[in-house]
Amino acid sequence: MHEITLRTSDRRQMVDITSEVQELIASRGIGTGSVLLFVPHTTAGITVNENWDADVRHDILWALEQMVPESAVYRHSEGNSRAHIQSLLTGHSLTLPITEGKVCLGRWQGIFCCEYDGPRRRRVLVQMHISSPDIVD
Amino acid sequence: MHEITLRTSDRRQMVDITSEVQELIASRGIGTGSVLLFVPHTTAGITVNENWDADVRHDILWALEQMVPESAVYRHSEGNSRAHIQSLLTGHSLTLPITEGKVCLGRWQGIFCCEYDGPRRRRVLVQMHISSPDIVD
Amino acid sequence: MHEITLRTSDRRQMVDITSEVQELIASRGIGTGSVLLFVPHTTAGITVNENWDADVRHDILWALEQMVPESAVYRHSEGNSRAHIQSLLTGHSLTLPITEGKVCLGRWQGIFCCEYDGPRRRRVLVQMHISSPDIVD
Protein backbone atom coordinates (compact mmCIF):
# COMPACT_ATOMS: atom_id res chain seq x y z
CA MET A 1 0.00 0.00 0.00
CA HIS A 2 1.17 3.49 -0.83
CA GLU A 3 0.68 6.45 1.43
CA ILE A 4 0.77 10.21 1.19
CA THR A 5 2.09 11.96 4.27
CA LEU A 6 1.59 15.58 5.11
CA ARG A 7 2.09 18.00 7.97
CA THR A 8 -0.75 20.41 8.62
CA SER A 9 -0.02 23.90 9.90
CA ASP A 10 -3.40 25.02 11.23
CA ARG A 11 -6.10 23.80 13.56
CA ARG A 12 -8.51 23.47 10.62
CA GLN A 13 -7.20 23.08 7.09
CA MET A 14 -8.05 21.55 3.73
CA VAL A 15 -4.85 20.26 2.10
CA ASP A 16 -4.96 19.67 -1.66
CA ILE A 17 -3.41 16.25 -2.41
CA THR A 18 -4.61 15.97 -6.03
CA SER A 19 -1.14 16.14 -7.58
CA GLU A 20 0.26 13.54 -5.15
CA VAL A 21 -2.57 11.14 -6.08
CA GLN A 22 -2.07 11.79 -9.80
CA GLU A 23 1.68 11.17 -9.48
CA LEU A 24 1.15 7.82 -7.75
CA ILE A 25 -1.22 6.71 -10.49
CA ALA A 26 1.16 7.86 -13.22
CA SER A 27 4.14 6.18 -11.52
CA ARG A 28 2.33 2.83 -11.69
CA GLY A 29 1.22 3.31 -15.27
CA ILE A 30 -2.42 2.60 -14.52
CA GLY A 31 -4.71 3.31 -17.47
CA THR A 32 -8.17 2.37 -16.26
CA GLY A 33 -9.20 1.41 -12.75
CA SER A 34 -9.93 3.04 -9.43
CA VAL A 35 -8.14 4.44 -6.44
CA LEU A 36 -9.17 4.03 -2.78
CA LEU A 37 -8.02 6.82 -0.46
CA PHE A 38 -8.34 6.18 3.28
CA VAL A 39 -7.55 8.46 6.22
CA PRO A 40 -6.56 6.38 9.29
CA HIS A 41 -7.36 9.22 11.71
CA THR A 42 -10.43 10.09 13.77
CA THR A 43 -10.11 13.89 13.62
CA ALA A 44 -9.39 14.26 9.90
CA GLY A 45 -11.33 13.40 6.75
CA ILE A 46 -11.11 13.21 2.97
CA THR A 47 -13.30 14.75 0.29
CA VAL A 48 -13.41 16.29 -3.14
CA ASN A 49 -14.50 19.89 -3.58
CA GLU A 50 -13.63 23.09 -5.42
CA ASN A 51 -9.91 23.72 -5.80
CA TRP A 52 -10.05 27.06 -7.58
CA ASP A 53 -11.12 29.70 -5.04
CA ALA A 54 -9.56 29.34 -1.57
CA ASP A 55 -12.61 31.14 -0.16
CA VAL A 56 -14.64 27.96 -0.74
CA ARG A 57 -12.35 26.06 1.65
CA HIS A 58 -12.62 28.91 4.14
CA ASP A 59 -16.41 28.81 3.94
CA ILE A 60 -16.53 25.00 4.30
CA LEU A 61 -14.38 25.04 7.44
CA TRP A 62 -16.33 28.01 8.84
CA ALA A 63 -19.69 26.34 8.20
CA LEU A 64 -18.58 23.06 9.83
CA GLU A 65 -17.60 25.15 12.84
CA GLN A 66 -21.07 26.73 12.96
CA MET A 67 -22.70 23.29 12.76
CA VAL A 68 -20.40 21.72 15.36
CA PRO A 69 -19.15 24.59 17.52
CA GLU A 70 -16.18 24.25 19.84
CA SER A 71 -18.18 26.03 22.54
CA ALA A 72 -20.79 23.25 22.87
CA VAL A 73 -20.75 21.16 26.05
CA TYR A 74 -19.18 17.84 25.06
CA ARG A 75 -18.39 14.95 27.40
CA HIS A 76 -15.14 13.73 25.80
CA SER A 77 -12.37 14.97 28.09
CA GLU A 78 -9.75 15.50 25.38
CA GLY A 79 -11.70 18.52 24.16
CA ASN A 80 -11.71 17.58 20.46
CA SER A 81 -15.19 16.08 20.04
CA ARG A 82 -15.88 18.83 17.53
CA ALA A 83 -13.10 17.39 15.34
CA HIS A 84 -14.39 13.81 15.66
CA ILE A 85 -17.85 14.94 14.55
CA GLN A 86 -16.59 17.06 11.66
CA SER A 87 -14.56 14.03 10.46
CA LEU A 88 -17.73 11.90 10.51
CA LEU A 89 -19.56 14.50 8.41
CA THR A 90 -16.68 14.56 5.90
CA GLY A 91 -15.93 10.83 5.73
CA HIS A 92 -12.66 8.88 5.88
CA SER A 93 -12.81 6.75 2.71
CA LEU A 94 -13.04 7.95 -0.89
CA THR A 95 -13.01 5.85 -4.07
CA LEU A 96 -12.41 7.60 -7.38
CA PRO A 97 -12.42 6.23 -10.93
CA ILE A 98 -9.26 6.30 -13.07
CA THR A 99 -9.48 6.71 -16.84
CA GLU A 100 -6.79 7.41 -19.42
CA GLY A 101 -4.14 7.28 -16.73
CA LYS A 102 -5.68 9.97 -14.54
CA VAL A 103 -8.01 10.16 -11.60
CA CYS A 104 -11.30 11.19 -13.10
CA LEU A 105 -12.19 14.51 -11.48
CA GLY A 106 -14.55 17.23 -12.62
CA ARG A 107 -13.12 20.47 -13.97
CA TRP A 108 -13.31 22.28 -10.63
CA GLN A 109 -12.64 19.35 -8.30
CA GLY A 110 -9.56 18.71 -6.20
CA ILE A 111 -8.92 16.00 -3.58
CA PHE A 112 -8.55 17.35 -0.05
CA CYS A 113 -7.33 15.87 3.20
CA CYS A 114 -9.33 17.77 5.83
CA GLU A 115 -7.59 18.57 9.12
CA TYR A 116 -9.90 19.30 12.04
CA ASP A 117 -7.50 19.03 15.00
CA GLY A 118 -4.07 20.20 13.80
CA PRO A 119 -1.37 20.97 13.41
CA ARG A 120 -0.35 17.30 13.08
CA ARG A 121 1.36 14.83 10.82
CA ARG A 122 -1.30 13.02 8.75
CA ARG A 123 -1.33 10.00 6.45
CA VAL A 124 -3.57 9.10 3.52
CA LEU A 125 -3.43 5.43 2.52
CA VAL A 126 -3.65 4.84 -1.24
CA GLN A 127 -4.69 1.55 -2.84
CA MET A 128 -4.88 1.42 -6.63
CA HIS A 129 -6.80 -1.14 -8.69
CA ILE A 130 -5.96 -1.45 -12.36
CA SER A 131 -8.46 -2.58 -14.93
CA SER A 132 -8.73 -6.13 -16.16
CA PRO A 133 -11.16 -7.82 -18.53
CA ASP A 134 -13.27 -8.10 -15.40
CA ILE A 135 -13.79 -4.36 -15.24
CA VAL A 136 -16.53 -3.27 -17.56
CA ASP A 137 -15.99 0.30 -18.53
CA MET B 1 -16.77 4.52 -18.41
CA HIS B 2 -20.50 4.91 -18.57
CA GLU B 3 -22.33 8.00 -17.48
CA ILE B 4 -25.85 8.99 -16.57
CA THR B 5 -26.79 12.52 -17.57
CA LEU B 6 -29.69 14.48 -16.19
CA ARG B 7 -31.07 17.99 -16.22
CA THR B 8 -32.32 19.30 -12.89
CA SER B 9 -35.27 21.69 -12.76
CA ASP B 10 -34.96 23.22 -9.28
CA ARG B 11 -32.36 24.95 -7.15
CA ARG B 12 -32.39 21.98 -4.72
CA GLN B 13 -33.51 18.57 -5.88
CA MET B 14 -32.97 14.86 -5.27
CA VAL B 15 -33.19 12.99 -8.59
CA ASP B 16 -33.83 9.24 -8.40
CA ILE B 17 -31.39 7.45 -10.74
CA THR B 18 -31.98 3.91 -9.43
CA SER B 19 -33.56 2.60 -12.63
CA GLU B 20 -30.79 4.09 -14.80
CA VAL B 21 -28.16 2.35 -12.66
CA GLN B 22 -30.08 -0.94 -12.75
CA GLU B 23 -30.40 -0.73 -16.53
CA LEU B 24 -26.67 -0.19 -17.01
CA ILE B 25 -25.91 -3.24 -14.84
CA ALA B 26 -28.46 -5.36 -16.68
CA SER B 27 -27.20 -4.23 -20.09
CA ARG B 28 -23.74 -5.53 -19.22
CA GLY B 29 -25.03 -8.78 -17.79
CA ILE B 30 -23.16 -8.41 -14.51
CA GLY B 31 -24.15 -11.03 -11.95
CA THR B 32 -21.97 -10.30 -8.94
CA GLY B 33 -19.70 -7.34 -8.42
CA SER B 34 -19.91 -3.69 -7.48
CA VAL B 35 -20.69 -0.34 -9.02
CA LEU B 36 -18.88 2.93 -8.37
CA LEU B 37 -20.94 6.08 -8.88
CA PHE B 38 -19.09 9.39 -8.97
CA VAL B 39 -20.41 12.94 -9.32
CA PRO B 40 -17.80 15.19 -11.00
CA HIS B 41 -19.39 18.38 -9.64
CA THR B 42 -18.70 20.52 -6.58
CA THR B 43 -22.27 21.64 -5.89
CA ALA B 44 -24.01 18.26 -6.24
CA GLY B 45 -23.74 14.94 -4.41
CA ILE B 46 -24.83 11.30 -4.45
CA THR B 47 -26.51 9.22 -1.76
CA VAL B 48 -29.00 6.48 -1.06
CA ASN B 49 -32.12 7.22 0.97
CA GLU B 50 -35.85 6.55 1.07
CA ASN B 51 -37.54 6.52 -2.32
CA TRP B 52 -41.12 5.93 -1.20
CA ASP B 53 -42.40 9.15 0.37
CA ALA B 54 -41.35 12.34 -1.45
CA ASP B 55 -41.74 14.17 1.87
CA VAL B 56 -38.49 12.54 3.03
CA ARG B 57 -36.60 14.22 0.19
CA HIS B 58 -38.32 17.51 1.03
CA ASP B 59 -37.28 17.17 4.67
CA ILE B 60 -33.67 16.27 3.78
CA LEU B 61 -33.28 19.31 1.52
CA TRP B 62 -35.00 21.54 4.08
CA ALA B 63 -32.79 20.30 6.93
CA LEU B 64 -29.59 20.80 4.91
CA GLU B 65 -30.78 24.37 4.32
CA GLN B 66 -31.26 24.89 8.07
CA MET B 67 -27.76 23.53 8.76
CA VAL B 68 -26.11 25.54 5.97
CA PRO B 69 -28.35 28.56 5.37
CA GLU B 70 -28.08 30.72 2.29
CA SER B 71 -28.29 33.80 4.51
CA ALA B 72 -24.97 33.12 6.28
CA VAL B 73 -22.06 35.44 5.50
CA TYR B 74 -19.76 33.47 3.17
CA ARG B 75 -16.58 34.78 1.54
CA HIS B 76 -16.84 32.97 -1.82
CA SER B 77 -17.99 35.60 -4.29
CA GLU B 78 -20.04 33.29 -6.51
CA GLY B 79 -22.66 33.05 -3.77
CA ASN B 80 -23.00 29.26 -3.79
CA SER B 81 -20.85 28.27 -0.82
CA ARG B 82 -23.97 26.78 0.73
CA ALA B 83 -24.12 24.32 -2.19
CA HIS B 84 -20.43 23.40 -1.91
CA ILE B 85 -20.88 22.63 1.79
CA GLN B 86 -24.07 20.62 1.31
CA SER B 87 -22.26 18.57 -1.35
CA LEU B 88 -19.44 17.83 1.13
CA LEU B 89 -22.00 16.65 3.70
CA THR B 90 -23.62 14.37 1.08
CA GLY B 91 -20.49 13.02 -0.59
CA HIS B 92 -19.55 12.60 -4.26
CA SER B 93 -18.59 8.91 -4.48
CA LEU B 94 -20.78 5.89 -3.72
CA THR B 95 -19.90 2.21 -4.11
CA LEU B 96 -22.75 -0.33 -4.03
CA PRO B 97 -22.63 -4.13 -4.16
CA ILE B 98 -24.23 -6.03 -7.05
CA THR B 99 -25.76 -9.48 -6.51
CA GLU B 100 -27.95 -11.60 -8.76
CA GLY B 101 -27.68 -9.02 -11.52
CA LYS B 102 -29.00 -6.12 -9.45
CA VAL B 103 -27.61 -3.33 -7.34
CA CYS B 104 -28.14 -4.53 -3.81
CA LEU B 105 -30.40 -1.94 -2.18
CA GLY B 106 -32.59 -2.19 0.87
CA ARG B 107 -36.35 -2.37 0.42
CA TRP B 108 -36.89 1.37 0.88
CA GLN B 109 -33.66 2.64 -0.68
CA GLY B 110 -33.21 4.50 -3.93
CA ILE B 111 -30.07 6.11 -5.42
CA PHE B 112 -30.24 9.90 -5.66
CA CYS B 113 -28.18 12.52 -7.40
CA CYS B 114 -28.53 15.58 -5.15
CA GLU B 115 -28.66 18.98 -6.82
CA TYR B 116 -27.77 21.92 -4.58
CA ASP B 117 -27.21 24.69 -7.15
CA GLY B 118 -29.56 24.03 -10.04
CA PRO B 119 -31.10 23.99 -12.42
CA ARG B 120 -28.17 22.52 -14.33
CA ARG B 121 -27.09 19.62 -16.51
CA ARG B 122 -25.42 17.01 -14.28
CA ARG B 123 -23.40 13.84 -14.91
CA VAL B 124 -22.93 10.72 -12.80
CA LEU B 125 -19.95 8.57 -13.84
CA VAL B 126 -20.57 4.82 -13.55
CA GLN B 127 -17.83 2.21 -13.32
CA MET B 128 -18.88 -1.42 -12.94
CA HIS B 129 -16.71 -4.25 -11.63
CA ILE B 130 -17.84 -7.80 -12.31
CA SER B 131 -16.96 -10.68 -10.06
CA SER B 132 -14.05 -12.97 -10.68
CA PRO B 133 -12.51 -15.83 -8.70
CA ASP B 134 -10.71 -13.00 -6.89
CA ILE B 135 -13.90 -11.69 -5.38
CA VAL B 136 -14.85 -13.60 -2.30
CA ASP B 137 -18.52 -13.30 -1.68
CA MET C 1 -22.34 -11.89 0.04
CA HIS C 2 -21.76 -12.03 3.74
CA GLU C 3 -23.71 -10.04 6.24
CA ILE C 4 -23.39 -8.94 9.85
CA THR C 5 -26.67 -8.76 11.72
CA LEU C 6 -27.23 -6.90 14.94
CA ARG C 7 -30.05 -5.81 17.21
CA THR C 8 -29.85 -2.29 18.53
CA SER C 9 -31.17 -1.47 21.99
CA ASP C 10 -31.53 2.32 21.87
CA ARG C 11 -33.10 4.98 19.71
CA ARG C 12 -29.62 6.29 18.80
CA GLN C 13 -26.60 4.04 19.08
CA MET C 14 -23.17 3.44 17.54
CA VAL C 15 -22.49 -0.30 17.46
CA ASP C 16 -18.85 -1.38 17.10
CA ILE C 17 -18.63 -4.10 14.43
CA THR C 18 -14.84 -4.04 13.98
CA SER C 19 -14.27 -7.54 15.35
CA GLU C 20 -17.05 -9.03 13.21
CA VAL C 21 -15.49 -7.49 10.09
CA GLN C 22 -12.02 -8.71 11.08
CA GLU C 23 -13.33 -12.23 11.69
CA LEU C 24 -14.96 -12.38 8.25
CA ILE C 25 -11.71 -11.31 6.59
CA ALA C 26 -9.69 -13.83 8.61
CA SER C 27 -12.16 -16.63 7.89
CA ARG C 28 -11.61 -16.14 4.16
CA GLY C 29 -7.85 -15.89 4.46
CA ILE C 30 -7.64 -12.62 2.56
CA GLY C 31 -4.15 -11.09 2.69
CA THR C 32 -4.43 -7.93 0.61
CA GLY C 33 -7.55 -6.41 -0.85
CA SER C 34 -10.51 -4.33 0.24
CA VAL C 35 -13.85 -4.73 1.96
CA LEU C 36 -17.09 -2.98 1.04
CA LEU C 37 -19.58 -2.50 3.89
CA PHE C 38 -23.10 -1.44 2.96
CA VAL C 39 -26.08 -0.65 5.20
CA PRO C 40 -29.36 -1.42 3.36
CA HIS C 41 -31.41 0.86 5.64
CA THR C 42 -32.55 4.48 5.35
CA THR C 43 -32.38 5.39 9.05
CA ALA C 44 -28.97 3.89 9.86
CA GLY C 45 -25.44 4.55 8.61
CA ILE C 46 -21.85 3.29 8.73
CA THR C 47 -18.65 5.10 9.63
CA VAL C 48 -15.26 4.80 11.26
CA ASN C 49 -14.44 6.86 14.35
CA GLU C 50 -12.80 6.63 17.76
CA ASN C 51 -13.41 3.35 19.56
CA TRP C 52 -11.56 4.12 22.79
CA ASP C 53 -13.65 6.60 24.78
CA ALA C 54 -17.42 5.97 24.73
CA ASP C 55 -17.92 9.69 25.37
CA VAL C 56 -16.92 10.36 21.75
CA ARG C 57 -19.87 8.27 20.55
CA HIS C 58 -22.13 10.09 23.00
CA ASP C 59 -20.93 13.45 21.70
CA ILE C 60 -21.35 12.42 18.04
CA LEU C 61 -24.95 11.30 18.58
CA TRP C 62 -25.69 14.39 20.68
CA ALA C 63 -24.23 16.75 18.05
CA LEU C 64 -26.19 15.09 15.22
CA GLU C 65 -29.30 15.67 17.33
CA GLN C 66 -28.44 19.38 17.69
CA MET C 67 -27.91 19.68 13.95
CA VAL C 68 -31.07 17.76 13.03
CA PRO C 69 -33.41 18.10 16.02
CA GLU C 70 -36.45 15.92 16.50
CA SER C 71 -38.47 19.01 17.39
CA ALA C 72 -38.17 20.56 13.91
CA VAL C 73 -41.31 20.67 11.75
CA TYR C 74 -40.87 17.91 9.17
CA ARG C 75 -43.43 16.87 6.56
CA HIS C 76 -42.78 13.10 6.54
CA SER C 77 -45.67 11.58 8.48
CA GLU C 78 -43.74 8.67 9.99
CA GLY C 79 -41.94 11.11 12.29
CA ASN C 80 -38.42 9.83 11.62
CA SER C 81 -37.15 12.39 9.10
CA ARG C 82 -34.46 13.25 11.62
CA ALA C 83 -33.12 9.69 11.30
CA HIS C 84 -33.19 9.78 7.48
CA ILE C 85 -31.19 13.01 7.49
CA GLN C 86 -28.65 11.79 10.07
CA SER C 87 -28.13 8.65 7.95
CA LEU C 88 -27.41 10.84 4.89
CA LEU C 89 -24.82 12.81 6.89
CA THR C 90 -23.16 9.56 8.03
CA GLY C 91 -23.32 7.62 4.75
CA HIS C 92 -24.37 4.04 3.95
CA SER C 93 -21.35 2.66 2.09
CA LEU C 94 -17.78 2.32 3.36
CA THR C 95 -14.79 0.77 1.58
CA LEU C 96 -11.71 -0.06 3.64
CA PRO C 97 -8.32 -1.42 2.55
CA ILE C 98 -7.10 -4.83 3.77
CA THR C 99 -3.40 -5.47 4.31
CA GLU C 100 -1.61 -8.37 6.01
CA GLY C 101 -4.91 -10.11 6.57
CA LYS C 102 -6.54 -7.25 8.49
CA VAL C 103 -8.75 -4.31 7.74
CA CYS C 104 -6.39 -1.38 7.73
CA LEU C 105 -7.60 0.95 10.49
CA GLY C 106 -5.79 3.67 12.37
CA ARG C 107 -4.78 3.07 15.96
CA TRP C 108 -7.89 4.72 17.43
CA GLN C 109 -10.41 3.76 14.74
CA GLY C 110 -13.28 1.31 14.97
CA ILE C 111 -16.05 0.51 12.48
CA PHE C 112 -19.51 1.53 13.65
CA CYS C 113 -23.02 0.79 12.45
CA CYS C 114 -24.97 3.92 13.45
CA GLU C 115 -28.56 3.45 14.56
CA TYR C 116 -30.74 6.56 14.33
CA ASP C 117 -34.24 5.05 14.69
CA GLY C 118 -33.95 2.03 16.97
CA PRO C 119 -34.28 -0.27 18.57
CA ARG C 120 -34.35 -2.49 15.47
CA ARG C 121 -32.69 -5.44 13.81
CA ARG C 122 -30.04 -4.17 11.38
CA ARG C 123 -27.91 -5.72 8.64
CA VAL C 124 -24.52 -4.75 7.25
CA LEU C 125 -23.69 -6.34 3.88
CA VAL C 126 -20.03 -7.31 3.50
CA GLN C 127 -18.31 -7.87 0.14
CA MET C 128 -14.60 -8.72 0.17
CA HIS C 129 -12.19 -8.34 -2.74
CA ILE C 130 -8.87 -10.15 -2.55
CA SER C 131 -5.76 -8.93 -4.26
CA SER C 132 -4.61 -10.21 -7.62
CA PRO C 133 -1.77 -9.18 -9.90
CA ASP C 134 -4.25 -6.56 -11.05
CA ILE C 135 -4.18 -4.79 -7.73
CA VAL C 136 -1.22 -2.51 -7.46
CA ASP C 137 -0.39 -1.96 -3.85
Side-chain angles (χ1 to χ4, degrees), chain A residues 63-79:
Chain A
L64 287 171
E65 204 66 20
Q66 305 304 304
M67 280 183 267
V68 191
E70 184 142 28
S71 60
V73 182
Y74 303 108
R75 277 199 198 164
H76 182 47
S77 60
E78 289 182 25

Side-chain angles (χ1 to χ4, degrees), chain C residues 15-35:
Chain C
V15 181
D16 192 331
I17 60 169
T18 313
S19 63
E20 285 87 344
V21 174
Q22 295 283 25
E23 279 161 28
L24 276 173
I25 293 167
S27 73
R28 303 304 300 243
I30 299 176
T32 304
S34 63
V35 58

Side-chain angles (χ1 to χ4, degrees), chain B residues 45-112:
Chain B
I46 189 154
T47 193
V48 289
N49 218 298
E50 214 211 68
N51 67 351
W52 183 253
D53 180 3
D55 282 348
V56 173
R57 272 104 78 196
H58 169 273
D59 289 346
I60 288 171
L61 296 172
W62 178 83
L64 286 170
E65 204 65 22
Q66 305 304 305
M67 280 183 269
V68 190
E70 183 143 27
S71 60
V73 182
Y74 303 107
R75 277 198 197 165
H76 181 46
S77 60
E78 288 182 24
N80 60 355
S81 280
R82 174 196 59 74
H84 288 292
I85 298 155
Q86 292 175 354
S87 82
L88 177 140
L89 297 174
T90 308
H92 302 82
S93 174
L94 179 67
T95 304
L96 301 171
I98 298 169
T99 50
E100 298 176 14
K102 289 188 176 176
V103 64
C104 199
L105 294 170
R107 185 179 178 183
W108 307 106
Q109 286 180 322
I111 306 167
F112 294 93

